[in-house]
Amino acid sequence: MAIEVRIPTILRNLTNDAKVVQGSGDTLSELVSDLDQQYPGIAERLVEGGKLRRFINVYLNDEDVRFVGGLEAKLSDGDNVTVLPAVAGGSR
């Protein structure tokens, strides 16, 4: 099963500067494990304590995975996953 994963600039040092990589898995958790085998270190940048890191947003076919099962979100062949670092800040 092929899942297309879009990687943000901040994590591309782990994917040999690839903007898009391919992975597989029946759930987002399995996909992250598969990506970590291909690109060691990526899982620890995405997951902490069994949950997505607070300042990482992951979208499955443009839907925030936190609303469709988190790491247990079901994946299908041809799905698109986008990883985005959260943007914070503002004025005082």
Side-chain angles (χ1 to χ4, degrees):
M1 167 174 14
I3 309 290
E4 182 179 278
V5 183
R6 294 183 196 109
I7 304 296
T9 304
I10 192 99
L11 297 179
R12 289 184 192 154
N13 63 315
L14 299 171
T15 62
N16 302 315
D17 291 323
K19 295 178 183 181
V20 177
V21 297
Q22 299 289 319
S24 63
D26 291 329
T27 64
L28 182 59
S29 180
E30 291 177 11
L31 175 66
V32 169
S33 293
D34 180 60
L35 292 176
D36 198 56
Q37 288 185 356
Q38 296 179 63
Y39 309 103
I42 201 164
E44 69 185 49
R45 301 288 297 274
L46 301 177
V47 177
E48 181 177 46
K51 296 182 179 181
L52 286 173
R53 286 186 173 269
R54 184 173 173 203
F55 295 107
I56 293 291
N57 295 314
V58 178
Y59 295 88
L60 170 59
N61 300 323
D62 299 324
E63 183 78 30
D64 188 329
V65 297
R66 287 183 172 91
F67 300 113
V68 293
L71 288 172
E72 297 311 310
K74 300 291 184 196
L75 303 177
S76 299
D77 192 33
D79 278 346
N80 292 300
V81 172
T82 302
V83 177
L84 293 174
V87 178
S91 61
R92 297 195 236 180

